Short mmCIF file of all heavy atoms in Angstrom, two decimals:
data_model
loop_
_atom_site.label_atom_id
_atom_site.label_comp_id
_atom_site.label_asym_id
_atom_site.label_seq_id
_atom_site.Cartn_x
_atom_site.Cartn_y
_atom_site.Cartn_z
N VAL A 1 -9.22 -15.35 16.04
CA VAL A 1 -7.98 -16.09 16.50
C VAL A 1 -6.70 -15.18 16.64
O VAL A 1 -5.69 -15.74 16.97
CB VAL A 1 -7.68 -17.21 15.49
CG1 VAL A 1 -8.86 -18.13 15.53
CG2 VAL A 1 -7.45 -16.72 14.05
N GLY A 2 -6.87 -13.98 16.32
CA GLY A 2 -5.65 -13.17 16.44
C GLY A 2 -4.71 -13.27 15.33
O GLY A 2 -5.11 -13.65 14.21
N ASP A 3 -3.43 -13.12 15.59
CA ASP A 3 -2.40 -13.19 14.50
C ASP A 3 -1.92 -14.63 14.20
O ASP A 3 -0.71 -14.78 13.97
CB ASP A 3 -1.22 -12.20 14.75
CG ASP A 3 -0.54 -12.61 16.02
OD1 ASP A 3 -0.92 -13.55 16.79
OD2 ASP A 3 0.55 -11.94 16.32
N ARG A 4 -2.79 -15.55 14.16
CA ARG A 4 -2.42 -16.92 13.77
C ARG A 4 -2.61 -17.05 12.29
O ARG A 4 -3.55 -17.60 11.79
CB ARG A 4 -3.33 -17.90 14.57
CG ARG A 4 -3.01 -17.79 16.06
CD ARG A 4 -3.86 -18.64 16.91
NE ARG A 4 -3.64 -20.06 16.64
CZ ARG A 4 -4.48 -21.07 16.91
NH1 ARG A 4 -5.55 -20.74 17.59
NH2 ARG A 4 -4.16 -22.28 16.60
N TRP A 5 -1.60 -16.49 11.52
CA TRP A 5 -1.72 -16.34 10.14
C TRP A 5 -1.87 -17.70 9.38
O TRP A 5 -2.52 -17.79 8.41
CB TRP A 5 -0.45 -15.60 9.61
CG TRP A 5 -0.35 -14.28 10.36
CD1 TRP A 5 0.80 -13.97 11.05
CD2 TRP A 5 -1.23 -13.20 10.41
NE1 TRP A 5 0.60 -12.77 11.60
CE2 TRP A 5 -0.58 -12.21 11.16
CE3 TRP A 5 -2.49 -12.96 9.81
CZ2 TRP A 5 -1.26 -10.97 11.49
CZ3 TRP A 5 -3.05 -11.75 10.13
CH2 TRP A 5 -2.46 -10.79 10.97
N ALA A 6 -1.18 -18.84 9.83
CA ALA A 6 -1.33 -20.05 9.21
C ALA A 6 -2.78 -20.58 9.32
O ALA A 6 -3.26 -21.17 8.27
CB ALA A 6 -0.34 -21.02 9.77
N LEU A 7 -3.36 -20.35 10.41
CA LEU A 7 -4.74 -20.85 10.58
C LEU A 7 -5.67 -20.03 9.71
O LEU A 7 -6.62 -20.59 9.03
CB LEU A 7 -5.19 -20.59 12.07
CG LEU A 7 -6.50 -21.12 12.37
CD1 LEU A 7 -6.67 -22.59 12.25
CD2 LEU A 7 -6.89 -20.67 13.89
N ILE A 8 -5.44 -18.73 9.59
CA ILE A 8 -6.29 -17.88 8.71
C ILE A 8 -6.04 -18.33 7.26
O ILE A 8 -7.02 -18.46 6.47
CB ILE A 8 -6.00 -16.35 8.90
CG1 ILE A 8 -6.33 -15.97 10.34
CG2 ILE A 8 -6.76 -15.52 7.88
CD1 ILE A 8 -5.97 -14.58 10.77
N ALA A 9 -4.78 -18.46 6.85
CA ALA A 9 -4.43 -18.81 5.46
C ALA A 9 -5.05 -20.17 5.06
O ALA A 9 -5.42 -20.39 3.90
CB ALA A 9 -2.96 -18.88 5.27
N GLY A 10 -5.21 -21.03 5.97
CA GLY A 10 -5.78 -22.40 5.78
C GLY A 10 -7.28 -22.28 5.39
O GLY A 10 -7.76 -23.19 4.81
N ARG A 11 -7.93 -21.23 5.63
CA ARG A 11 -9.30 -20.91 5.31
C ARG A 11 -9.50 -20.27 3.89
O ARG A 11 -10.54 -20.10 3.46
CB ARG A 11 -10.01 -20.12 6.32
CG ARG A 11 -9.97 -20.69 7.73
CD ARG A 11 -10.78 -21.92 7.82
NE ARG A 11 -10.81 -22.50 9.16
CZ ARG A 11 -10.04 -23.50 9.59
NH1 ARG A 11 -9.15 -24.00 8.86
NH2 ARG A 11 -10.19 -23.86 10.86
N ILE A 12 -8.36 -19.80 3.42
CA ILE A 12 -8.35 -19.06 2.04
C ILE A 12 -7.58 -19.88 1.05
O ILE A 12 -6.35 -19.85 1.17
CB ILE A 12 -7.87 -17.67 2.21
CG1 ILE A 12 -8.71 -16.87 3.31
CG2 ILE A 12 -7.93 -16.87 0.92
CD1 ILE A 12 -8.14 -15.49 3.67
N PRO A 13 -8.22 -20.53 0.12
CA PRO A 13 -7.52 -21.34 -0.87
C PRO A 13 -6.48 -20.51 -1.66
O PRO A 13 -6.78 -19.42 -2.07
CB PRO A 13 -8.57 -21.86 -1.77
CG PRO A 13 -9.83 -21.67 -1.05
CD PRO A 13 -9.70 -20.59 -0.06
N GLY A 14 -5.29 -21.04 -1.78
CA GLY A 14 -4.30 -20.43 -2.59
C GLY A 14 -3.49 -19.25 -1.90
O GLY A 14 -2.62 -18.66 -2.60
N ARG A 15 -3.77 -19.03 -0.69
CA ARG A 15 -3.00 -18.06 0.06
C ARG A 15 -2.09 -18.72 1.11
O ARG A 15 -2.36 -19.61 1.76
CB ARG A 15 -3.93 -17.02 0.79
CG ARG A 15 -4.82 -16.26 -0.11
CD ARG A 15 -4.08 -15.31 -0.99
NE ARG A 15 -4.97 -14.49 -1.80
CZ ARG A 15 -4.59 -13.47 -2.54
NH1 ARG A 15 -3.35 -13.13 -2.64
NH2 ARG A 15 -5.51 -12.79 -3.26
N LYS A 16 -0.94 -18.03 1.27
CA LYS A 16 0.05 -18.48 2.29
C LYS A 16 -0.02 -17.60 3.54
O LYS A 16 -0.46 -16.48 3.42
CB LYS A 16 1.42 -18.46 1.70
CG LYS A 16 1.74 -19.33 0.54
CD LYS A 16 3.10 -19.03 0.02
CE LYS A 16 3.31 -19.91 -1.27
NZ LYS A 16 4.63 -19.63 -1.87
N ALA A 17 0.46 -18.12 4.65
CA ALA A 17 0.37 -17.35 5.86
C ALA A 17 1.19 -16.08 5.69
O ALA A 17 0.79 -15.00 6.27
CB ALA A 17 1.00 -18.19 7.01
N GLU A 18 2.30 -16.02 4.99
CA GLU A 18 3.12 -14.88 4.84
C GLU A 18 2.46 -13.86 4.07
O GLU A 18 2.55 -12.60 4.39
CB GLU A 18 4.46 -15.26 4.09
CG GLU A 18 5.42 -16.11 4.87
CD GLU A 18 5.10 -17.60 4.78
OE1 GLU A 18 4.19 -18.01 3.94
OE2 GLU A 18 5.53 -18.34 5.66
N GLU A 19 1.62 -14.28 3.06
CA GLU A 19 0.83 -13.27 2.34
C GLU A 19 -0.22 -12.62 3.19
O GLU A 19 -0.46 -11.39 3.09
CB GLU A 19 0.12 -14.01 1.16
CG GLU A 19 0.94 -14.28 -0.06
CD GLU A 19 0.04 -14.92 -1.07
OE1 GLU A 19 -0.51 -16.04 -0.87
OE2 GLU A 19 -0.05 -14.39 -2.22
N ILE A 20 -0.93 -13.39 4.00
CA ILE A 20 -1.96 -12.96 4.88
C ILE A 20 -1.40 -11.92 5.87
O ILE A 20 -1.89 -10.85 6.07
CB ILE A 20 -2.63 -14.00 5.64
CG1 ILE A 20 -3.33 -15.16 4.65
CG2 ILE A 20 -3.73 -13.49 6.54
CD1 ILE A 20 -4.25 -14.56 3.74
N GLU A 21 -0.19 -12.28 6.46
CA GLU A 21 0.43 -11.44 7.46
C GLU A 21 0.86 -10.08 6.78
O GLU A 21 0.60 -9.04 7.26
CB GLU A 21 1.59 -12.11 8.10
CG GLU A 21 2.33 -11.23 9.14
CD GLU A 21 3.47 -11.90 9.85
OE1 GLU A 21 3.83 -12.99 9.28
OE2 GLU A 21 3.88 -11.45 10.79
N ARG A 22 1.47 -10.25 5.61
CA ARG A 22 1.93 -8.98 4.88
C ARG A 22 0.70 -8.10 4.52
O ARG A 22 0.78 -6.90 4.68
CB ARG A 22 2.68 -9.40 3.62
CG ARG A 22 3.37 -8.26 3.01
CD ARG A 22 4.35 -8.69 1.90
NE ARG A 22 4.15 -9.99 1.43
CZ ARG A 22 4.48 -10.46 0.20
NH1 ARG A 22 5.02 -9.49 -0.68
NH2 ARG A 22 4.33 -11.67 -0.23
N PHE A 23 -0.39 -8.74 4.03
CA PHE A 23 -1.61 -7.99 3.74
C PHE A 23 -2.00 -7.27 5.00
O PHE A 23 -2.36 -6.09 4.89
CB PHE A 23 -2.66 -8.91 3.21
CG PHE A 23 -3.98 -8.25 3.07
CD1 PHE A 23 -4.27 -7.42 1.99
CD2 PHE A 23 -4.93 -8.42 4.10
CE1 PHE A 23 -5.49 -6.82 1.95
CE2 PHE A 23 -6.16 -7.89 3.91
CZ PHE A 23 -6.47 -7.01 2.85
N TRP A 24 -2.09 -7.98 6.14
CA TRP A 24 -2.60 -7.33 7.30
C TRP A 24 -1.79 -6.16 7.76
O TRP A 24 -2.25 -5.10 8.08
CB TRP A 24 -2.69 -8.46 8.45
CG TRP A 24 -3.38 -7.87 9.73
CD1 TRP A 24 -2.68 -7.36 10.80
CD2 TRP A 24 -4.77 -7.74 9.96
NE1 TRP A 24 -3.55 -6.96 11.71
CE2 TRP A 24 -4.88 -7.20 11.23
CE3 TRP A 24 -5.84 -8.05 9.22
CZ2 TRP A 24 -6.12 -6.92 11.76
CZ3 TRP A 24 -7.09 -7.75 9.76
CH2 TRP A 24 -7.15 -7.20 11.00
N ILE A 25 -0.46 -6.34 7.66
CA ILE A 25 0.51 -5.31 8.14
C ILE A 25 0.30 -4.22 7.19
O ILE A 25 0.17 -2.91 7.65
CB ILE A 25 1.93 -5.77 8.18
CG1 ILE A 25 2.13 -6.79 9.27
CG2 ILE A 25 2.92 -4.66 8.26
CD1 ILE A 25 3.44 -7.51 9.21
N MET A 26 0.21 -4.41 5.89
CA MET A 26 0.12 -3.28 4.93
C MET A 26 -1.15 -2.52 5.03
O MET A 26 -1.29 -1.36 4.76
CB MET A 26 0.37 -3.75 3.58
CG MET A 26 1.81 -4.25 3.32
SD MET A 26 2.13 -4.86 1.71
CE MET A 26 2.31 -3.32 0.74
N ARG A 27 -2.22 -3.24 5.40
CA ARG A 27 -3.53 -2.67 5.52
C ARG A 27 -3.68 -1.84 6.79
O ARG A 27 -4.45 -0.83 6.85
CB ARG A 27 -4.58 -3.78 5.53
CG ARG A 27 -5.98 -3.33 5.56
CD ARG A 27 -6.21 -2.53 4.31
NE ARG A 27 -7.32 -3.17 3.65
CZ ARG A 27 -7.76 -2.63 2.51
NH1 ARG A 27 -7.27 -1.53 1.98
NH2 ARG A 27 -8.82 -3.19 1.94
N HIS A 28 -3.00 -2.19 7.88
CA HIS A 28 -3.13 -1.55 9.20
C HIS A 28 -2.09 -0.72 9.66
O HIS A 28 -2.10 -0.13 10.76
CB HIS A 28 -3.55 -2.62 10.18
CG HIS A 28 -4.88 -3.21 9.86
ND1 HIS A 28 -5.01 -4.34 9.10
CD2 HIS A 28 -6.12 -2.88 10.23
CE1 HIS A 28 -6.28 -4.60 9.03
NE2 HIS A 28 -6.96 -3.80 9.67
N GLU A 29 -0.92 -0.61 8.93
CA GLU A 29 0.16 0.24 9.32
C GLU A 29 0.13 1.60 8.75
O GLU A 29 -0.24 1.76 7.56
CB GLU A 29 1.54 -0.42 8.94
CG GLU A 29 1.77 -1.71 9.70
CD GLU A 29 2.25 -1.47 11.12
OE1 GLU A 29 2.89 -0.51 11.41
OE2 GLU A 29 1.95 -2.36 11.92
N GLU A 30 0.47 2.64 9.50
CA GLU A 30 0.42 4.00 8.99
C GLU A 30 1.47 4.18 7.94
O GLU A 30 1.25 5.10 7.10
CB GLU A 30 0.68 4.96 10.21
CG GLU A 30 -0.48 5.00 11.22
CD GLU A 30 -1.74 5.50 10.58
OE1 GLU A 30 -1.70 6.43 9.79
OE2 GLU A 30 -2.82 4.95 10.84
N VAL A 31 2.54 3.48 7.96
CA VAL A 31 3.62 3.68 6.89
C VAL A 31 3.03 3.50 5.56
O VAL A 31 3.50 4.22 4.62
CB VAL A 31 4.79 2.63 7.18
CG1 VAL A 31 5.80 2.69 6.13
CG2 VAL A 31 5.32 2.83 8.59
N PHE A 32 2.08 2.57 5.39
CA PHE A 32 1.62 2.26 4.10
C PHE A 32 0.33 3.06 3.74
O PHE A 32 -0.13 2.99 2.64
CB PHE A 32 1.22 0.75 4.03
CG PHE A 32 2.41 -0.09 4.18
CD1 PHE A 32 2.62 -0.70 5.37
CD2 PHE A 32 3.31 -0.25 3.14
CE1 PHE A 32 3.79 -1.60 5.57
CE2 PHE A 32 4.45 -1.05 3.26
CZ PHE A 32 4.69 -1.66 4.52
N ALA A 33 -0.16 3.87 4.67
CA ALA A 33 -1.42 4.65 4.38
C ALA A 33 -1.31 5.53 3.20
O ALA A 33 -2.12 5.69 2.33
CB ALA A 33 -1.81 5.41 5.65
N SER A 34 -0.15 6.27 3.16
CA SER A 34 0.09 7.27 2.03
C SER A 34 0.22 6.46 0.70
O SER A 34 -0.24 6.95 -0.37
CB SER A 34 1.25 8.08 2.34
OG SER A 34 2.49 7.38 2.41
N LYS A 35 0.89 5.32 0.73
CA LYS A 35 1.03 4.54 -0.47
C LYS A 35 -0.26 4.02 -0.97
O LYS A 35 -0.49 3.98 -2.22
CB LYS A 35 2.09 3.31 -0.22
CG LYS A 35 3.49 3.83 -0.15
CD LYS A 35 4.44 2.66 -0.23
CE LYS A 35 5.82 3.12 -0.28
NZ LYS A 35 6.80 2.19 -0.70
N ARG A 36 -1.14 3.58 -0.02
CA ARG A 36 -2.46 3.16 -0.44
C ARG A 36 -3.24 4.26 -1.12
O ARG A 36 -3.85 4.03 -2.16
CB ARG A 36 -3.23 2.62 0.77
CG ARG A 36 -3.09 1.18 1.13
CD ARG A 36 -4.10 0.66 1.98
NE ARG A 36 -4.41 1.45 3.18
CZ ARG A 36 -3.73 1.38 4.31
NH1 ARG A 36 -2.77 0.56 4.46
NH2 ARG A 36 -4.04 2.23 5.29
N ARG A 37 -3.23 5.44 -0.55
CA ARG A 37 -3.91 6.55 -1.07
C ARG A 37 -3.41 6.87 -2.53
O ARG A 37 -4.15 7.12 -3.45
CB ARG A 37 -3.80 7.75 -0.17
CG ARG A 37 -4.73 7.68 1.00
CD ARG A 37 -4.78 9.01 1.69
NE ARG A 37 -3.51 9.36 2.31
CZ ARG A 37 -3.16 9.00 3.61
NH1 ARG A 37 -3.96 8.38 4.41
NH2 ARG A 37 -1.95 9.35 4.04
#
């Protein structure tokens, strides 16, 4: 479905669309790669 965060969050109990989007950005952005490591 792409970046339809509300739709994705609706499939995961207890998660909000903002959390899902933030998780996706942090997981896939280079800025956060060094922080993850």
Side-chain angles (χ1 to χ4, degrees):
V1 300
D3 62 354
R4 296 176 64 196
W5 307 118
L7 184 65
I8 296 170
R11 304 291 183 260
I12 303 174
R15 297 290 185 177
K16 297 178 185 173
E18 294 81 16
E19 282 181 301
I20 304 298
E21 182 178 12
R22 189 169 18 151
F23 170 78
W24 185 263
I25 290 169
M26 292 178 82
R27 184 62 123 178
H28 294 90
E29 291 287 324
E30 291 298 319
V31 174
F32 297 103
S34 62
K35 285 192 174 197
R36 269 196 315 272
R37 284 190 292 267

